[in-house]
Amino acid sequence: MKNISLSNAGFILRIFLGITMLSAVADRFGFWGAPGAPGVAWGNWNNFIAYTQTLNSFASKSVAGILGALATFFEISFGLFLIIGFKTKYAALGTAGLMLLFALTMTFSISIKAPLDYSVFTSFAAALTLSAIDKTSFSLD
């Protein structure tokens, strides 16, 4: 059968994980539409910070703002690094860590259904897999 390159699979994972992270950031800045528009989760920064505060119920609004800004910084950084292929292993590990944190906070603050519905555990697993992919090939029988 035909050889399949793991580096090609890694490229696909890199691009789509990066786009996924940047899409979430775009939503919180209103690039996907206004709050309440179809497919829009937040639509603006204030709604995103309110959601951050929901996930981190211990946090005041100002602490939620800091946590939201940190999450946004890392999502932009890891997303761009994945897309351009810069320090991919570390960007993928950082992405996996961030996705796991999101999944756990969603699970404990809302329910297990939330991270499952938004495929956060899948993104975590994909990022962890990407961090382990090397540039070898394998053969499908």
Side-chain angles (χ1 to χ4, degrees), residues 22 72-82 91:
L22 295 178
T72 300
F73 170 79
F74 286 117
E75 284 176 283
I76 291 170
S77 299
F78 295 148
L80 289 175
F81 288 174
L82 289 172

Side-chain angles (χ1 to χ4, degrees), residues 21-37:
M21 295 180 74
L22 295 178
S23 175
V25 170
D27 187 319
R28 67 190 68 150
F29 289 113
F31 293 124
W32 288 124

Side-chain angles (χ1 to χ4, degrees), residues 11 17 20 22 45 50 56 63 68 73 85 90 100 116 120 136 140:
F11 174 77
L17 279 170
T20 298
L22 295 178
W45 184 256
N56 300 279
V63 171
F73 170 79
Y90 299 110
L100 184 58
L116 293 172
V120 183
T136 61
L140 290 179

Side-chain angles (χ1 to χ4, degrees), residues 2 34 53 59 62 76 92 94-95 97 106 112 119 131:
K2 188 176 181 174
Q53 195 170 16
S62 60
I76 291 170
T95 299
M106 291 170 82
I112 188 67
S119 300
S131 74

